């Protein structure tokens, strides 16, 4: 077997059980991985030097194909939200992965998940494709070269897209599989060329281990102001986590995954993974620049046939086009990935029903309610099978597919941290105003940024608030530079009766979704729920 690159010779691929490999390329950088990827026809170059790859059938994660080993060590798992396989089924899958890899050239990266050395997990990732190796090298944290010579992984991931699972033998549902064994700390990914499965497997693992160590793992972006005022932004895909945290006046900590503990907030990653449909230089200059240079990895982005210039407006392959780039491609990004205790928590919702105000202040109990709810809305074009009407999406803790433990564990940790550090909490609607999707228009980004700036610098605390009669949270009535009518959604609708009907409908959706949590929360959180009786007063 041929081996290249810097590595720990005493802890090689054989320790994982890999044998009869053709070659293992260890810890290669972008230039070498570009070379191997282009030579193999895995990807093409964009006009500005980004590596552009297609992921085929799977253009996003496949949560129905994700399984966790159920054994004595995982009885505390949240099995209502996770799918299980047996230890024997995983062992069979593991053996078949090793057999499938024989004769292959693999790419290995030794990386960290977590910027705080106290809590980070040493992660080794084997990939079949060179561009996958570049992707995960970009998204996780790269150790210094001297640390690679004695690197011994705590978590090992192997991603073989050409592998096809056998549902009968392996206990899965299709030929595509993501299988996690927390006891052995192994993740096996097969059948899908979508690179994001790797990074989310690390996130899932940290979600499993960190709460017991006093750290809340969060699906959120984070930044910090000049005075050390940290802000975190929860939100599902398409709600603006990456866009709003990339603020030229604040230092970016990270765009997707963080931990919050006694010493403050720390990034789990060393890169950003931006959704880039409709990406423009004018609206998102930092992300646009980071996506159009050597070292960026573009997924499913359409290139002009002649010029190779990316057409970020073209969603013909998928609306979930992506750009992965190192954190330091953002000029004002943190070099440590760490910051102090948050002053503000922002929950982002793209409300396609046009009912939620552009910003609302939440009490700690309301924050826990909306955190457990994890609301946004999907519209036609974002996912196959959607009709013309918006569809609500409730993903508890803004990250249901990545939660191995009961959501109440994460919710209670968030509430306790908010109370302990006297954090201001805000709900921000980045969705629709003036009517629901199809009638109204998208919330102006300038309005959202103006309101967020006022929230983060403290000036929004001093304005007059009204109590929303549908949801019970506090909504500002005026703010300099923001049209007053947009602050009260009903004023932006031509048909007031239709607004009332739509608002009541959304309240009902919240109530129906939250029924599964009612037995696990206290009276304060139950009282924080939206109430149709209040709307009738």
């Amino acid at each position: 077997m041929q081996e290249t690159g810097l590595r720990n010779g005493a802890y090689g691929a054989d320790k994982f059980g890999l044998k009869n490999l053709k070659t293992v390329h260890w810890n290669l950088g972008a230039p070498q991985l570009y070379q191997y990827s282009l030579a193999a026809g895995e990807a093409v170059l964009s006009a500005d030097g980004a590596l552009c790859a297609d992921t085929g059938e799977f253009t996003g994660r496949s949560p129905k194909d994700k399984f966790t080993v159920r054994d004595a060590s995982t009885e505390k798992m949240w099995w209502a939200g996770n799918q299980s396989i047996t230890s024997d089924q995983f062992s069979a899958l593991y053996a078949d992965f090793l057999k499938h890899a024989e004769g292959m050239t693999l790419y290995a990266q030794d990386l960290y998940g977590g910027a705080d050395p106290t809590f980070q997990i040493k992660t080794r990732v084997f990939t079949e494709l060179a561009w996958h190796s570049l992707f995960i090298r970009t998204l996780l944290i790269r150790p210094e070269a001297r640390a690679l010579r004695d690197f011994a992984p705590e978590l090992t991931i192997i991603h073989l897209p050409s592998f096809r699972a056998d549902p009968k033998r392996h206990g899965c549902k299709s030929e595509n599989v993501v299988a996690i064994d927390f006891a052995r700390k192994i993740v096996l990914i097969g059948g899908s060329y979508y690179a994001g499965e790797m990074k989310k497997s690390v996130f899932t693992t940290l979600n499993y281990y960190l709460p017991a160590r006093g750290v809340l793992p969060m699906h959120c972006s984070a930044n910090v102001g000049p005075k050390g005022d940290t802000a975190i932004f929860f939100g599902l895909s398409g709600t603006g986590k990456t866009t709003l945290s990339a603020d030229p006046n604040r230092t970016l900590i990270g765009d997707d995954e963080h931990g919050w503990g006694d010493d403050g907030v720390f990034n789990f990653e060393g890169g950003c993974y931006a959704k880039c449909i409709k990406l423009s230089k004018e609206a998102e200059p930092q992300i646009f620049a980071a996506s159009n240079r050597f070292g960026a990895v573009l997924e499913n982005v359409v290139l002009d046939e002649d010029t190779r210039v990316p057409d970020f407006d073209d969603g013909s392959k998928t609306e979930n086009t992506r750009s992965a780039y190192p954190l330091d491609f953002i000029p004002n990004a943190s070099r440590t990935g760490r910051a102090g205790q948050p002053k503000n928590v922002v929950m982002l919702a793209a409300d396609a029903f046009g009912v939620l105000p552009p910003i609302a202040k939440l009490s700690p109990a309301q924050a826990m309610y909306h955190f457990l709810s994890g609301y946004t809305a999907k519209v036609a074009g974002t996912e196959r099978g959607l009709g013309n009407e918006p569809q609500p999406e409730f993903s508890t803790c803004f990250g249901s597919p990545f939660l191995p433990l009961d959501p109440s564990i994460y919710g209670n940790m968030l509430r306790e941290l908010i109370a302990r550090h006297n954090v201001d909490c805000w709900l921000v609607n980045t969705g629709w105003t003036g009517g629901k999707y199809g009638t109204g228009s998208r919330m102006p980004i300038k309005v959202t940024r103006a309101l967020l700036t006022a929230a983060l610098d403290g000036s929004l605390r001093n304005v007059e608030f009204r109590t929303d009669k549908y949801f019970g949270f506090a909504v500002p009535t005026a703010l300099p530079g923001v049209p007053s009518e947009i602050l009260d959604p009903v004023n932006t609708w031509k048909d007031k009766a239709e607004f009332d009907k739509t608002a009541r409908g959304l309240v009902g959706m919240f109530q129906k979704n939250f029924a599964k949590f009612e037995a696990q929360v206290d009276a304060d959180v139950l009282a924080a729920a939206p109430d149709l009786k209040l709307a009738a007063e």
Side-chain angles (χ1 to χ4, degrees):
M1 181 179 67
Q2 180 184 2
E3 295 186 88
T4 68
L6 194 59
R7 64 197 181 278
N8 178 358
Y11 205 108
D14 59 307
K15 294 292 185 181
F16 186 69
L18 289 164
K19 59 184 180 180
N20 301 324
L21 299 175
K22 180 181 179 181
T23 309
V24 182
H25 296 298
W26 292 91
N27 298 305
L28 300 186
Q32 301 100 310
L33 292 171
Y34 262 63
Q35 180 180 341
Y36 284 115
S37 179
L38 294 172
E42 298 173 1
V44 296
L45 278 180
S46 76
D48 291 304
L51 195 65
C52 190
D54 286 354
T55 63
E57 177 186 357
F58 293 95
T59 58
R61 291 179 299 99
S62 183
K64 293 182 179 180
D65 292 317
K66 182 180 178 182
F67 298 86
T68 303
V69 172
R70 188 165 192 164
D71 57 19
S73 69
T74 55
E75 283 309 308
K76 61 182 179 180
M77 281 279 296
W78 179 44
W79 289 114
N82 288 274
Q83 302 173 111
S84 67
I85 56 174
T86 67
S87 183
D88 287 345
Q89 288 168 332
F90 185 90
S91 294
L93 183 66
Y94 186 14
D96 292 348
F97 257 71
L98 297 178
K99 185 67 177 177
H100 184 77
E102 291 187 20
M104 281 187 173
T105 292
L106 296 182
Y107 300 86
Q109 294 287 341
D110 291 330
L111 303 160
Y112 298 141
D116 187 332
T118 303
F119 301 109
Q120 67 190 189
I121 186 166
K122 294 180 179 178
T123 304
R124 174 166 289 172
V125 185
F126 292 101
T127 63
E128 180 179 352
L129 302 179
W131 83 263
H132 277 178
S133 191
L134 178 59
F135 173 90
I136 200 63
R137 177 181 175 84
T138 300
L139 265 297
L140 294 186
I141 297 170
R142 296 172 294 281
E144 294 183 5
R146 64 174 179 270
L148 297 175
R149 295 200 178 278
D150 59 0
F151 191 97
E154 300 165 291
L155 173 69
T156 302
I157 299 171
I158 183 166
H159 188 177
L160 304 178
S162 65
F163 180 87
R164 297 293 179 265
D166 179 347
K168 290 184 179 179
R169 174 171 165 80
H170 303 133
C172 49
K173 292 181 178 179
S174 72
E175 293 183 335
N176 179 51
V177 67
V178 179
I180 302 176
D181 187 330
F182 284 119
R184 286 182 268 197
K185 293 186 178 179
I186 293 172
V187 179
L188 306 174
I189 304 170
S192 173
Y193 286 80
Y194 180 67
E197 296 283 17
M198 292 183 286
K199 88 181 208 82
K200 288 305 184 188
S201 296
V202 177
F203 184 45
T204 300
T205 301
L206 291 170
N207 279 338
Y208 183 74
Y209 290 111
L210 289 184
R213 302 183 65 188
V215 173
L216 171 64
M218 304 175 293
H219 186 211
C220 71
S221 59
N223 63 25
V224 60
K227 297 180 181 179
D229 53 310
T230 303
I232 56 180
F233 303 80
F234 290 104
L236 301 176
S237 176
T239 57
K241 285 199 320 299
T242 299
T243 298
L244 294 171
S245 58
D247 185 332
N249 298 312
R250 297 172 64 85
T251 299
L252 177 67
I253 305 168
D255 83 323
D256 197 38
E257 301 167 4
H258 294 80
W260 182 2
D262 290 340
D263 295 327
V265 171
F266 63 95
N267 195 358
F268 288 168
E269 300 184 313
C272 298
Y273 194 34
K275 193 170 183 178
C276 57
I277 192 72
K278 309 295 185 186
L279 178 64
S280 71
K281 185 176 182 179
E282 293 70 31
E284 300 171 83
Q286 291 185 325
I287 298 171
F288 185 87
S291 302
N292 285 281
R293 58 179 287 187
F294 179 87
V297 179
L298 303 181
E299 283 184 335
N300 301 310
V301 172
V302 174
L303 302 181
D304 183 276
E305 290 185 6
D306 298 320
T307 66
R308 297 280 185 92
V309 172
D311 183 356
F312 292 115
D313 291 331
D314 191 333
S316 59
K317 294 179 181 178
T318 176
E319 290 282 321
N320 191 38
T321 55
R322 292 280 181 166
S323 170
Y325 48 85
L327 195 63
D328 59 15
F329 278 18
I330 301 296
N332 58 327
S334 168
R335 295 301 181 259
T336 65
R338 302 170 69 179
Q341 297 295 342
K343 300 294 184 187
N344 290 277
V345 166
V346 180
M347 298 184 189
L348 303 169
D351 176 28
F353 295 96
V355 166
L356 294 181
I359 196 166
K361 195 171 190 307
L362 305 177
S363 68
Q366 288 171 334
M368 184 173 177
Y369 179 91
H370 284 277
F371 181 64
L372 289 176
S373 296
Y375 167 71
T376 192
K378 296 177 181 178
V379 296
T382 61
E383 196 170 281
R384 285 183 294 180
L386 290 178
N388 293 327
E389 289 296 308
Q391 297 296 318
E393 180 181 10
F394 293 95
S395 183
T396 185
C397 306
F398 296 96
S400 180
F402 323 119
L403 302 184
L405 307 178
D406 192 282
S408 63
I409 293 174
Y410 307 101
N412 284 321
M413 289 185 76
L414 178 70
R415 187 179 181 187
E416 193 276 329
L417 285 163
I418 287 170
R420 188 195 313 171
H421 299 291
N422 193 29
V423 180
D424 285 335
C425 300
W426 309 90
L427 181 69
V428 171
N429 175 20
T430 60
W432 272 255
T433 183
K436 60 186 177 182
Y437 171 77
T439 302
S441 57
R442 197 73 191 254
M443 192 73 67
I445 186 69
K446 290 183 179 180
V447 169
T448 302
R449 286 203 180 276
L451 290 167
L452 268 179
T453 297
L456 301 188
D457 69 18
S459 59
L460 199 57
R461 294 180 184 176
N462 305 318
V463 305
E464 184 178 343
F465 287 82
R466 65 174 177 86
T467 299
D468 186 89
K469 73 175 187 176
Y470 299 97
F471 285 86
F473 41 48
V475 181
T477 58
L479 186 74
V482 176
S484 57
E485 65 272 11
I486 208 170
L487 294 171
D488 192 348
V490 68
N491 293 333
T492 68
W493 283 55
K494 292 180 180 178
D495 189 334
K496 311 303 184 191
E498 182 64 20
F499 173 86
D500 181 71
K501 178 183 176 182
T502 306
R504 290 171 181 273
L506 183 58
V507 167
M509 294 173 198
F510 268 87
Q511 292 175 330
K512 181 180 179 181
N513 171 73
F514 203 79
K516 58 182 175 285
F517 300 119
E518 288 178 351
Q520 300 166 282
V521 299
D522 61 24
D524 286 346
V525 177
L526 289 176
D531 191 343
L532 287 174
K533 294 192 294 291
L534 292 175
E537 295 176 357

